[in-house]
Amino acid sequence: MGPGPSDVDPRITGALARPTIGHLDPAFIQLMDEIKQLLQFAFQTSNELTLPISAPGSAGMEACFVNLLEAGDKAIICQNGVFGGRMKENVTRAGCEAIMVEDEWGSAVDTAKVAQAIAAHPDAKLLAFVHAETSTGVQSDAYALCQMASAAGMLSIVDTVTGLAGIEVDVDGWGADAVYSGTQKCLSCVPGLSPVTFSQAAVDVIQSRQTPVQSWFLDMNLVMGYWGGGAKRAYHHTAPINALYALHESLTILQEEGLEASWARHARNHEALKAGLETMGLQLVVEAASRLPQLNLVSIPDGVDDAALRTTLLQDYNLEIGAGLGALAGKVWRIGLMGYASNPGNVRLCLAALENTLIGQGLSLAGGKAVAAANAVYASAS
Amino acid sequence: MGPGPSDVDPRITGALARPTIGHLDPAFIQLMDEIKQLLQFAFQTSNELTLPISAPGSAGMEACFVNLLEAGDKAIICQNGVFGGRMKENVTRAGCEAIMVEDEWGSAVDTAKVAQAIAAHPDAKLLAFVHAETSTGVQSDAYALCQMASAAGMLSIVDTVTGLAGIEVDVDGWGADAVYSGTQKCLSCVPGLSPVTFSQAAVDVIQSRQTPVQSWFLDMNLVMGYWGGGAKRAYHHTAPINALYALHESLTILQEEGLEASWARHARNHEALKAGLETMGLQLVVEAASRLPQLNLVSIPDGVDDAALRTTLLQDYNLEIGAGLGALAGKVWRIGLMGYASNPGNVRLCLAALENTLIGQGLSLAGGKAVAAANAVYASAS
């Protein structure tokens, strides 16, 4: 129950362990086509260029930036946590200028500041932001931000590594141009792949570049020759066959449940966790309007030994919760309720383990009330 | 029995399917330390910076080039197959100049030509070559080439994606500076990871760069903070946890067998396959001194329908063999005997399937003699 990787459904590890076949085998190529269609479903897009990058989310981020930017371009980057800073690194390493729009860690991206930056830099090629910040548990308004970018004639890049399948992701509805995610969060698949999708406008930019993409491995002109080539697929790199079996299974599970049902499940378990935490007197850090249900930022009460508590949870309860990052280190916990791990059993385990351990550290709590509060949420929802 | 991915040992798929834990979990960090040590064993190196890149071999190649080169540098690249051409792409996309030393596809790198190139370009920063060419089944003299580079004050980059565990790889003995491999060949692990190792001289170059590495994801200054950080590991990206379980198991299997025993097994199965092929009148393309035992390039006899034969092998025998690439397309087959798939059962299946299918295409062959010839090799070896 950390910020990811989340628990993997045994159906998915079962798929993962199937016999490895060749990356040009006709049966595998059919699987690739199905993965593309399932990703289009998950992202809610008809974008033809929709596929999993054969590397973790950081490489998906890099694929978006190095394909859309050429040296000398300008990009507006929204930073309200760790991953906006990583976007800046991608921009500067591509020989481009990053215009930063900064917000407090724990707050959503301020659209008014973004509007100022767009007005001040109408020559920027793109606007990039994090839809679901894994470092802070905050969601920003992807629809508004993508619409602002396209109204200004800019492309948009959206990080929804933690968002996909946990909250609404609507790539076509937003009008987003390049969106990347990860497999190890609300898809509950193994880490190591990064689903991406590019709009036709983004593809046009990629295909009309003046200079080659600086990364051969991430050059979408080459990657699309393998993933999009129909019968005439060109070898680019050896795909991670077994991880793709797992992704196929995870997306099939998502399709069986349905997108809305998955979002509702994440919301319900968040409500139950929140009720239990508040019964213990613990506070959620992020304001209600921008909370991610799948990643809960909790203030650590005064006098609590953060590291000792997390060690106790891991050793005595086999339960991982996440530490704070950056300025939030030692001040918050990050409790994930992602994908397969977003379930009432985990909510109860986490509340009971936290309550017992806090009592063990000397806090005066009435044992058992937290789980009862969570159960009341489930009872009212059913 | 293609050019990879090879068959994966069920012990390895079993490891792959273990429950996913966090990438900063103490138990996982111990596993990372063990993987480093096992890779040092496999590469025969004491290099501290030895780890698996979280992406396929193409990304391992790119990691070597973008970390060691800075814009404006010059690199001597040996090309005798597909992968030398990919190296050139990496050099030019890093804003550097590639001095090409070209040999025929199917021949080893000519050290005399390399000596000329080094003499003509003493200002080159590095020499790069493919130790084991997956596209042609050729091995080149890694020791001689690395020694020539270091004598000239240049770094060396060695591609041994198909070499590792199939033939001798001796990173410290060669004096190589940057070496990358893949997991899906003679390690018989799932595709998706690229083991790399860097000498101290290479690390010094990386740590004293004037400009940042163009790829954030592949920046070894950051990657080594996660893999080499001891107790103070810094989060860089989410490691592909399950794939690393599999790599650990695959390297453990290699250690149990022993390096020399693994090389001898690959050589023995190659000899048996060769005896059977020659009994059928089929010819190996590569001259004996530079043949890779794990990847056998076979001339397609006149009048044989290449595509139809490979389709029959796949559909009727569940057996994949590789097609020729580039100039060799339609002229050769590539028969892999890699890792777990390098065994007498596969040799016999392949010979019998080829013989039957060639007879079915009208060739006049004495059925059954090929397998007998292979068996004679095994009998004499035991």
Side-chain angles (χ1 to χ4, degrees), chain A residues 47-375:
Chain A
N47 287 341
E48 178 62 25
L49 186 52
T50 302
L51 54 83
I53 297 285
S54 302
S58 306
M61 176 191 288
E62 191 161 321
C64 291
F65 282 94
V66 300
N67 279 278
L68 294 181
L69 291 177
E70 298 193 58
D73 285 341
K74 190 186 275 191
I76 301 174
I77 307 297
C78 306
Q79 179 169 15
N80 62 335
V82 165
F83 294 94
R86 188 170 297 184
M87 286 176 162
K88 180 184 180 183
E89 282 286 334
N90 274 274
V91 171
T92 58
R93 287 170 190 242
C96 299
E97 183 185 356
I99 308 298
M100 300 304 292
V101 177
E102 304 200 29
D103 284 291
E104 289 289 319
W105 287 37
S107 297
V109 172
D110 182 341
T111 53
K113 288 188 197 169
V114 174
Q116 289 173 353
I118 288 175
H121 301 278
D123 56 331
K125 188 174 192 176
L126 61 84
L127 169 72
F129 65 92
V130 180
H131 172 227
E133 244 299 347
T134 316
S135 62
T136 63
V138 165
Q139 66 173 302
S140 291
D141 187 342
Y143 175 76
L145 291 164
C146 289
Q147 291 291 310
M148 289 166 68
S150 54
M154 297 176 191
L155 297 169
S156 52
I157 295 181
V158 185
D159 176 329
T160 190
V161 169
T162 287
L164 192 64
I167 53 174
E168 184 176 15
V169 171
D170 185 10
V171 169
D172 287 358
W174 295 342
D177 291 301
V179 182
Y180 60 91
S181 188
T183 48
Q184 78 282 15
K185 309 285 187 181
C186 298
L187 290 177
S188 272
C189 184
V190 290
L193 298 172
S194 178
V196 296
T197 183
F198 292 88
S199 71
Q200 189 57 49
V203 171
D204 291 344
V205 165
I206 295 170
Q207 291 182 332
S208 58
R209 291 175 61 95
Q210 300 296 305
T211 56
V213 175
Q214 66 190 37
S215 170
W216 186 91
F217 174 58
L218 298 174
D219 184 343
M220 295 305 298
N221 288 300
L222 304 175
V223 174
M224 66 179 105
Y226 175 54
W227 272 89
K232 283 196 48 162
R233 283 173 204 263
Y235 162 63
H236 177 251
H237 65 273
T238 302
I241 312 290
N242 294 69
L244 291 167
Y245 295 161
L247 177 59
H248 184 278
E249 190 71 13
S250 120
L251 292 166
T252 301
I253 292 170
L254 177 63
Q255 194 176 46
E256 288 169 5
E257 181 175 21
L259 291 178
E260 289 78 4
S262 180
W263 306 334
R265 175 169 54 83
H266 283 86
R268 189 166 62 247
N269 289 310
H270 159 76
E271 289 300 330
L273 180 73
K274 170 175 164 286
L277 292 171
E278 291 179 348
T279 298
M280 282 191 269
L282 297 176
Q283 300 299 324
L284 295 184
V285 176
V286 176
E287 68 174 31
S290 50
R291 277 178 203 151
L292 288 173
Q294 63 270 51
L295 187 56
N296 298 272
L297 213 69
V298 182
S299 280
I300 301 176
D302 289 340
V304 169
D305 183 334
D306 170 28
L309 178 135
R310 285 186 292 105
T311 300
T312 298
L313 293 191
L314 189 61
Q315 292 182 349
D316 294 358
Y317 297 86
N318 195 28
L319 178 65
E320 181 191 65
I321 64 170
L325 283 182
L328 297 170
K331 297 183 182 165
V332 302
W333 296 309
R334 290 181 297 157
I335 302 179
L337 284 168
M338 298 181 179
Y340 184 68
S342 183
N343 64 59
N346 272 354
V347 168
R348 294 185 191 111
L349 170 66
C350 181
L351 290 171
L354 266 179
E355 194 168 41
N356 283 346
T357 307
L358 288 170
I359 291 171
Q361 287 203 7
L363 266 71
S364 173
L365 295 171
K369 303 273 191 204
V371 168
N375 285 338

Side-chain angles (χ1 to χ4, degrees), chain B residues 103-297:
Chain B
D103 283 291
E104 289 288 321
W105 288 37
S107 298
V109 173
D110 182 341
T111 53
K113 288 187 197 169
V114 174
Q116 288 173 354
I118 288 175
H121 300 279
D123 56 330
K125 188 175 193 175
L126 61 83
L127 170 72
F129 65 93
V130 180
H131 172 227
E133 245 299 346
T134 315
S135 61
T136 63
V138 164
Q139 67 172 302
S140 292
D141 188 342
Y143 175 76
L145 291 164
C146 289
Q147 291 291 311
M148 289 166 68
S150 55
M154 298 176 189
L155 297 169
S156 52
I157 295 181
V158 186
D159 176 329
T160 191
V161 168
T162 287
L164 191 64
I167 52 173
E168 183 176 16
V169 172
D170 185 10
V171 170
D172 286 359
W174 294 343
D177 291 301
V179 182
Y180 60 91
S181 188
T183 47
Q184 78 281 18
K185 310 284 187 182
C186 299
L187 290 178
S188 272
C189 184
V190 290
L193 297 172
S194 178
V196 296
T197 183
F198 292 88
S199 71
Q200 189 56 49
V203 171
D204 291 344
V205 166
I206 295 169
Q207 291 183 332
S208 59
R209 292 175 61 94
Q210 301 296 305
T211 55
V213 174
Q214 67 190 36
S215 169
W216 186 91
F217 174 58
L218 297 174
D219 184 343
M220 295 306 298
N221 288 300
L222 304 175
V223 173
M224 67 179 103
Y226 175 54
W227 272 90
K232 283 196 49 163
R233 285 174 203 263
Y235 162 62
H236 177 250
H237 64 274
T238 302
I241 311 291
N242 293 69
L244 291 167
Y245 296 161
L247 177 58
H248 184 279
E249 189 71 12
S250 118
L251 292 167
T252 299
I253 291 170
L254 178 62
Q255 193 175 50
E256 288 169 5
E257 180 175 22
L259 291 179
E260 289 79 3
S262 180
W263 305 333
R265 175 169 54 83
H266 283 85
R268 191 166 58 246
N269 289 311
H270 159 76
E271 288 300 330
L273 180 73
K274 171 176 164 283
L277 292 171
E278 290 179 348
T279 297
M280 281 192 270
L282 299 176
Q283 300 299 323
L284 295 184
V285 176
V286 177
E287 68 175 31
S290 50
R291 275 178 203 151
L292 288 174
Q294 64 270 48
L295 187 56
N296 298 272
L297 213 69

Side-chain angles (χ1 to χ4, degrees), chain B residues 86-100:
Chain B
R86 188 170 297 184
M87 286 177 163
K88 180 183 179 184
E89 282 286 334
N90 274 273
V91 171
T92 56
R93 287 169 190 241
C96 299
E97 183 185 356
I99 309 297
M100 299 304 291

